[in-house]
Amino acid sequence: MKKSIGVCEWYMPVKGPSLFSQLKSCGIDSFQMETGIYEEGVPSVFPEVQEAYLAAAERSKITINSAANMSLCTYGPCHPQNTPKYDAAKEIIEKSLYAVSQMQIPIFMIQSFGDGDIQDEDSFLNTAKMLQWASELGADLGVKIASENTLNLEDNLRLIEFVGMDNFGLGFDIQNGYALKGHDIPQMIRQLAGFFTMVHIKDGKGSALGMSHFGEGDSRFFDSIKALKESGYQGPVISESAYKKLDFYRADGNPFAAIRKDVEIYQGTI
């Protein structure tokens, strides 16, 4: 594994590229961008927005190595065709893919949480079809698609086989599957790591996602990092700790001190 680590835009105290230089000073090397709220038109499609992010990244030596859209938690990719939420999810994904392609961001993550949670066979198939379509478009645009979900080992393998595209893989989170479904994450890593496009790391207690510093929760953080190292994983590692939340950073004094602490913990394991 590489020592470089990124953060997610949606857990920064201020969204946008204005904090890139501060993040760099905290030891952050990369950034997962949020492509923008659906009701606001997915603003990353606008050239002026793209220019602002790219210019700030160049100045600060931060790599925007992936992107996602949190509106997919409200308009999930699990709905059947010819429904309003299906149409919204498809629009979000399409606009996001064109934006990240224009910005030369290599990975777009499609999450299955909230409204997009995969709860039964119908929602599995609907999601798989949406991911297959997104991967086909992504292949044309030079973008990899990463599915973040809480499926078990067998269903993740089934999803990969269904989509059947070389640019499709998993955006694997080392806490979600354990906290929400009770999965054995280190074991899943050992069996699925070859399909990982990117990895989210975080820790927490119970269902409090990303609310503990690395290794201070109950998700077997260090066992998961060990499994990733042993698997030979060399892709992006992005922290999804909830740095903007006061209950997370209270003991550290501010979000940036909290980020520095997590960077130190992570790099100490590599």
Side-chain angles (χ1 to χ4, degrees):
M1 288 177 71
K2 300 174 183 176
K3 281 200 169 186
S4 59
I5 184 173
V7 290
C8 300
E9 178 169 9
W10 49 94
Y11 274 133
M12 294 298 97
V14 177
K15 287 188 176 182
S18 62
L19 295 178
F20 279 9
S21 62
Q22 289 81 1
L23 292 174
K24 188 68 175 181
S25 71
C26 293
I28 295 299
D29 297 306
S30 61
F31 189 76
Q32 185 169 22
M33 177 182 170
E34 214 277 334
T35 57
I37 296 171
Y38 171 65
E39 289 82 0
E40 296 175 359
V42 189
S44 60
V45 298
F46 304 128
E48 294 85 353
V49 173
Q50 297 175 15
E51 182 181 351
Y53 276 88
L54 293 173
E58 184 176 2
R59 286 194 303 271
S60 304
K61 308 303 181 188
I62 290 272
T63 301
I64 306 175
N65 62 1
S66 56
N69 189 295
M70 292 301 103
S71 290
L72 290 173
C73 293
T74 305
Y75 307 95
C78 63
H79 297 284
Q81 292 187 29
N82 303 316
T83 61
K85 286 196 171 181
Y86 170 90
D87 293 340
K90 192 168 184 178
E91 181 180 348
I92 291 164
I93 293 169
E94 184 171 30
K95 285 183 174 179
S96 296
L97 284 175
Y98 277 103
V100 300
S101 175
Q102 289 160 357
M103 297 176 70
Q104 297 186 342
I105 299 171
I107 300 168
F108 183 67
M109 185 190 83
I110 298 176
Q111 71 275 19
S112 292
F113 297 101
D115 183 69
D117 190 29
I118 301 171
Q119 299 183 351
D120 53 29
E121 185 65 10
D122 284 344
S123 57
F124 175 90
L125 291 173
N126 291 335
T127 301
K129 291 174 185 176
M130 182 72 84
L131 291 169
Q132 187 178 60
W133 164 80
S135 297
E136 291 170 353
L137 178 59
D140 291 340
L141 297 172
V143 179
K144 296 178 181 178
I145 303 298
S147 168
E148 187 184 42
N149 61 66
T150 56
L151 296 173
N152 61 24
L153 171 65
E154 293 76 15
D155 283 337
N156 265 302
L157 291 172
R158 195 158 63 102
L159 182 66
I160 292 163
E161 183 178 9
F162 185 104
V163 175
M165 296 288 294
D166 290 341
N167 67 322
F168 176 74
L170 301 178
F172 195 80
D173 187 293
I174 70 169
Q175 187 196 6
N176 289 344
Y178 168 74
L180 301 177
K181 297 292 178 68
H183 298 327
D184 183 335
I185 297 300
Q187 183 63 21
M188 289 185 71
I189 290 170
R190 292 185 180 94
Q191 295 178 279
L192 288 172
F195 301 105
F196 291 173
T197 301
M198 53 169 283
V199 169
H200 274 168
I201 63 172
K202 60 175 184 271
D203 205 349
K205 297 175 181 177
S207 60
L209 301 178
M211 288 298 292
S212 298
H213 280 295
F214 299 155
E216 296 181 6
D218 59 17
S219 70
R220 299 176 62 196
F221 176 86
F222 293 117
D223 289 342
S224 293
I225 296 298
K226 180 181 178 183
L228 284 166
K229 289 168 62 177
E230 290 174 350
S231 75
Y233 177 73
Q234 292 293 320
V237 174
I238 301 163
S239 171
E240 200 183 16
S241 293
Y243 297 117
K244 71 178 182 180
K245 294 189 177 183
L246 178 59
D247 284 347
F248 182 90
Y249 70 76
R250 190 188 305 273
D252 304 296
N254 64 68
F256 303 98
I259 292 170
R260 290 188 185 96
K261 180 175 178 178
D262 269 355
V263 170
E264 182 178 351
I265 294 169
Y266 170 72
Q267 292 184 342
T269 70
I270 304 304

